[in-house]
Amino acid sequence: MSLLLVAAVLCVLIAWFKRSFIKHPPLPPGPPAAPIIGHLLKIPQDNQEMVFYEWSKQYGGVMHLHVPGRSMIILNSTQAAVDLLDKRSANYSDRPNFVILKMMGWVPTLTFIGYGKRFQKHRRLLQQYFSSSKVESYRHIQVQEARRLLQKLLGTPEDHNNHMSRLSAAIIMQIAYGHQIVKDDDPYIQIAKDTGYALSSCGPPGSTPVDLLPFLQYMPSWFPGTYYANQARKLHHIIRRLHEYPFDAVKKQMAEGIAKPSYLSYQLEQLHREAVDTHEVEVDDIQGTAGVIYCAGADTTWSTMSIFLLAMVLHPECQIKAQKEIDAVIGSGRLPEFEDRPSMPYVEACLQESYRWHNAVPMGVPHRSLEDDIYNGMFIPKGSIMVANTRGMSLDENVYLEPTKFNPTRYLPKPLGNAEPLPIAQFGFGRRICPGRHLADASLWIAIASILAMFNISKAIGEDGQPITPDVAFISGLTSHPKPYRCAIKPRSKLAESLINETNTSDTY
Ligand code: HEM
Ligand SMILES: *[C@@H]1O[C@H](CO)[C@@H](O)[C@H](O)[C@H]1NC(C)=O
Ligand SMILES: *[C@@H]1O[C@H](CO)[C@@H](O)[C@H](O)[C@H]1NC(C)=O
Ligand SMILES: *[C@@H]1O[C@H](CO)[C@@H](O)[C@H](O)[C@H]1NC(C)=O
Ligand SMILES: *[C@@H]1O[C@H](CO)[C@@H](O)[C@H](O)[C@H]1NC(C)=O
Ligand SMILES: CC(=O)N[C@H]1CO[C@H](CO)[C@@H](O)[C@@H]1O
C-alpha cells in the first residue's frame, strides 16, 4: 500500500522535474502555482467556467494550469480553440481517461473513448445517422413532438420544465430506439431517471480523486479518496441497463417483425448483413452508440430549451419582435413548419442567442493533446487536458457587445443589427464536434418557433400580486441547467388555443 503511494509521489515528482529542467518555450501564462500540487487547491469545484473566465482577463486566451500529473490548457478565445482544436485536430482529439465513468459501465461510449480506431468507428456510425441531410428525414417526429409540447403547455403550463424534458427525451427515444413514450410508468422513463441520478452522483467528470490518481480504483473502500469508485460500482447496473434494455427490446421486436425504424434497428440490420464478411462492428459498439445518443442528446437539448424560455420571461421585447415576424410569415391560422425557417431571421437569432447567452455545456468536454506543440510561442505539452471554455468565449467582449445581455439583434446585418458572429463553441470543436448538432438544432428550432407562435410567456404572479423575476442561476455539472423557475405561459388568443386543441398528435410515426 505505502509502496504504491511512494510510487505515485515519485511519478508526480519526476514529471515535475522534467517540466522544470528540459528546455522548451515557456508554458502559457496562468495564476501563481503552489509547488508540486500546482493549482489543485485553486481550481474550484463549482462554477469553474466563470473563474476561468475571470482569470483569462488577466492571463489571456490561452492559460496553463498545473495539477499533479497533468497540465491543463484553458482556452477562452474562440480563435485559439479554432486554431488548435479545429485546425490541428489530428493532435488534439484524444480524451482524458475518465476512470470513474468507465468504472460505472460507460463502455464503450464515444464521449469517453480515446482517439483511435474505435473512436473513428463510433464517429462514423453516428455521423452517418445524424448527418444534416439524414436529419431532415426525422422532421415529422420533431414536428409531432413540438405539437405535443404545445398541448402539454396548454394543459399544465406550470409543469413547463417536465414538458420540455419530455420533448427532448421523446424525440431522441423515437429516433434512437423507435420507442414512443405514452404512459408515465414507461420503463424508459425509469431508465432515464436512473441514468440522470447516476450521472449526478459520480462527482465532477474526469476530476475526482480517482481520476487524478487512478491507482485509487484498486484500493479497498475504506481507503481515503475512493468514495466515487464505490459509487461507480454501486451504480454500474443502472448504466448497463441503459445499454442493454433498449437493445434487447428492439432485437425482440425485430424477431417479431414489429420493430419501428430507428438507429438500433438500422444498426442491427447492418450487423446481420455485414456479419457475413466482416466483424468490424460488434454488439457493444451498437449498444454504446445507442446509449450515448440518449445521454449526450436529451439533457443538453432540454437545458437549451429551458435557457430559451428563461430568456423569454426576462425579455418580453424580444418575444414581441419574434411573434411579429412569425405572424407576418405564417399568419395565425397554422403552426410553424420547418420550411418557414429561412423566412424568419429574428426567430433564428433568438435560437442562436440562446446558445450563446448561457451554455448548456459551459466548458465543453475536455480534449487531450497527443503531441508536444507550440502555439504563438507558448509550449503545450503532450498529454495536456484541453478545456475549451465555451462560457468564456460567449462572454468575450472583443467579439460581443455587452455580452451578458440577451440580444438577438446583435447577429442581424448592419444597420439593423451589429453583424456579430454566430456562436460556434456550444457544440465543441474539431474531430470531436458534437455529432448530434444538426438534430439538436432542428428540435430546438421547431419547439421554439411553435411556442412563440402560440404562447405569451411572462413572469409568474406571486401570492402578493407582484410579478416574480426569476434568477438567472444555474446548477453546475457537465450539462448545466437553469435552476427551476416559475413563469406564466398563456395562449396568445382563442384562435391559438383552438389550433392547439385541434392539432392531431395521435401516432403518425
Ligand atoms: C443543444 C444540444 C446539444 C449540445 C449543446 C451539445 C454539445 C456537445 C458538446 C459541447 C460536445 C463536446 C464536443 C467536444 O468534445 O469538442 C458534444 C459531444 C457529443 N454530442 Fe452533443 N450536444 C447536443 C445535442 C446532442 C444530440 C442530440 C446528440 C445525439 C444525437 C449528441 C451527441 C453527442 C455525442 C455522441 C458527443 C461525443 C462526441 C465525441 O466525443 O466524439 N449531442 N455535444
Ligand atoms: C501533429 O504533431 C506532429 C508531431 O509534432 C506534427 O509533425 C504534425 O504536423 C502535427 N499535426 C497537426 C495537424 O498539427
Ligand atoms: C400577448 O402579448 C401581447 C404583447 O405583449 C399582448 O398585446 C397580448 O394582449 C397578449 N395576449 C394575451 C392573451 O395575453
Ligand atoms: C381547448 O381544450 C381545453 C381542454 O380540453 C378546453 O377547456 C378549452 O375550452 C379548449 N379551447 C378551445 C378554444 O377550443
Ligand atoms: C389523426 O391522425 C391519425 C394518423 O394519421 C389518423 O389515423 C386519425 O384518423 C387522425 N385523427 C383525426 C381526428 O383526424
Ligand atoms: C473574456 C476575456 O478575457 N477574453 C480574452 C480571451 O483571450 C483573448 C486573447 O486571445 C483576449 O483578448 C480576451 O480579452
Side-chain angles (χ1 to χ4, degrees):
M1 199 83 59
S2 51
L3 213 70
L4 265 168
L5 256 177
V6 170
V9 170
L10 266 178
C11 284
V12 170
L13 277 175
I14 290 169
W16 184 65
F17 275 113
K18 254 168 78 183
R19 207 183 303 278
S20 315
F21 294 111
I22 293 177
K23 271 257 171 290
H24 49 62
L27 291 163
I36 302 179
I37 62 159
H39 299 92
L40 190 62
L41 302 179
K42 281 203 171 151
I43 300 175
Q45 289 288 318
D46 284 341
N47 259 323
Q48 282 182 5
E49 64 274 11
M50 286 312 285
V51 173
F52 291 163
Y53 164 69
E54 289 304 327
W55 287 350
S56 80
K57 289 184 179 167
Q58 192 175 344
Y59 302 104
V62 182
M63 278 186 299
H64 176 262
L65 301 177
H66 178 221
V67 294
R70 57 170 109 173
S71 277
M72 282 173 79
I73 304 288
I74 315 293
L75 306 171
N76 104 95
S77 88
T78 313
Q79 188 58 50
V82 168
D83 286 346
L84 294 173
L85 306 184
D86 277 353
K87 296 197 182 143
R88 302 182 191 174
S89 185
N91 286 342
Y92 284 98
S93 295
D94 199 13
R95 290 278 194 217
N97 193 6
F98 292 98
V99 179
I100 288 290
L101 292 170
K102 286 182 183 161
M103 286 181 76
M104 257 175 106
W106 292 100
V107 220
T109 295
L110 177 56
T111 324
F112 313 126
I113 299 179
Y115 193 63
K117 280 225 158 57
R118 188 162 227 180
F119 158 80
Q120 274 154 356
K121 194 197 308 180
H122 284 220
R123 287 287 313 185
R124 183 168 45 76
L125 290 174
L126 290 166
Q127 277 170 193
Q128 277 171 359
Y129 208 78
F130 295 101
S131 69
S132 62
S133 57
K134 200 84 193 308
V135 159
E136 285 184 20
S137 63
Y138 314 137
R139 282 179 169 180
H140 61 286
I141 297 172
Q142 294 165 312
V143 168
Q144 198 75 352
E145 288 303 331
R147 297 187 171 170
R148 239 176 234 138
L149 172 70
L150 295 178
Q151 291 178 338
K152 298 219 167 263
L153 288 173
L154 184 63
T156 47
E158 64 286 353
D159 234 1
H160 57 87
N161 206 25
N162 277 334
H163 302 332
M164 292 188 295
S165 158
R166 187 185 169 114
L167 165 106
S168 318
I171 293 173
I172 297 271
M173 285 187 179
Q174 284 179 65
I175 294 174
Y177 317 134
H179 179 75
Q180 196 161 34
I181 297 169
V182 272
K183 287 179 305 191
D184 286 340
D185 62 355
D186 188 301
Y188 285 80
I189 291 186
Q190 195 55 47
I191 291 173
K193 279 190 184 147
D194 291 346
T195 304
Y197 168 76
L199 274 176
S200 64
S201 320
C202 64
S207 50
T208 68
V210 185
D211 290 293
L212 295 174
L213 301 170
F215 75 91
L216 285 173
Q217 69 188 292
Y218 305 113
M219 294 293 133
S221 60
W222 53 263
F223 199 81
T226 56
Y227 174 77
Y228 288 116
N230 304 326
Q231 284 290 95
R233 280 183 209 108
K234 232 167 45 199
L235 299 165
H236 185 268
H237 68 282
I238 292 179
I239 305 307
R240 287 328 300 165
R241 187 165 148 87
L242 166 75
H243 288 88
E244 284 155 18
Y245 187 93
F247 182 88
D248 294 342
V250 171
K251 215 168 140 185
K252 186 156 165 276
Q253 289 160 6
M254 286 172 75
E256 292 165 6
I258 55 166
K260 301 215 168 122
S262 69
Y263 177 82
L264 269 178
S265 64
Y266 174 78
Q267 298 301 356
L268 277 165
E269 261 168 40
Q270 297 296 102
L271 184 68
H272 289 300
R273 199 166 305 153
E274 282 180 14
V276 191
D277 42 46
T278 148
H279 291 278
E280 206 212 343
V281 175
E282 292 159 31
V283 166
D284 62 353
D285 294 320
I286 298 179
Q287 289 185 342
T289 47
V292 81
I293 295 171
Y294 175 78
C295 285
D299 212 27
T300 45
T301 308
W302 170 23
S303 167
T304 310
M305 277 297 300
S306 178
I307 290 167
F308 158 79
L309 197 75
L310 179 60
M312 290 300 111
V313 180
L314 296 170
H315 297 278
E317 74 287 356
C318 301
Q319 198 183 144
I320 292 170
K321 227 169 144 175
Q323 288 171 336
K324 278 203 178 126
E325 184 180 78
I326 293 174
D327 294 348
V329 173
I330 70 174
S332 49
R334 67 172 176 92
L335 290 163
E337 302 281 353
F338 277 106
E339 288 68 28
D340 300 316
R341 186 166 180 175
S343 327
M344 298 179 178
Y346 191 79
V347 173
E348 184 67 44
C350 286
L351 171 57
Q352 297 296 331
E353 187 66 340
S354 305
Y355 286 140
R356 188 202 66 84
W357 180 59
H358 277 278
N359 311 100
V361 192
M363 292 203 298
V365 180
H367 295 208
R368 182 162 65 183
S369 72
L370 287 163
E371 294 293 342
D372 283 349
D373 199 3
I374 293 168
Y375 178 63
N376 288 351
M378 295 174 286
F379 180 62
I380 298 178
K382 171 178 172 170
S384 291
I385 308 299
M386 308 295 298
V387 176
N389 187 9
T390 309
R391 185 82 191 110
M393 296 175 196
S394 301
L395 293 175
D396 194 339
E397 281 162 12
N398 300 318
V399 182
Y400 298 109
L401 195 70
E402 296 186 81
T404 55
K405 209 173 143 193
F406 184 87
N407 173 23
T409 311
R410 64 173 77 249
Y411 305 112
L412 303 182
K414 287 177 177 170
L416 276 172
N418 199 29
E420 291 172 20
L422 296 180
I424 54 167
Q426 68 274 13
F427 289 121
F429 293 93
R431 296 185 190 185
R432 286 288 181 171
I433 193 171
C434 174
R437 63 197 183 284
H438 305 296
L439 182 77
D441 187 69
S443 300
L444 287 165
W445 185 85
I446 192 71
I448 284 175
S450 304
I451 291 177
L452 286 169
M454 293 295 124
F455 291 106
N456 272 0
I457 301 144
S458 55
K459 291 179 186 172
I461 305 296
E463 268 93 66
D464 57 358
Q466 295 300 309
I468 304 168
T469 304
D471 286 336
V472 182
F474 288 78
I475 302 163
S476 48
L478 189 57
T479 305
S480 165
H481 280 265
K483 292 211 167 123
Y485 56 89
R486 287 175 61 192
C487 66
I489 302 175
K490 295 195 194 107
R492 288 175 66 200
S493 63
K494 269 273 164 292
L495 185 62
E497 195 177 324
S498 53
L499 204 57
I500 298 171
N501 273 358
E502 284 155 20
T503 306
N504 182 356
T505 53
S506 52
D507 195 359
T508 51
Y509 175 58

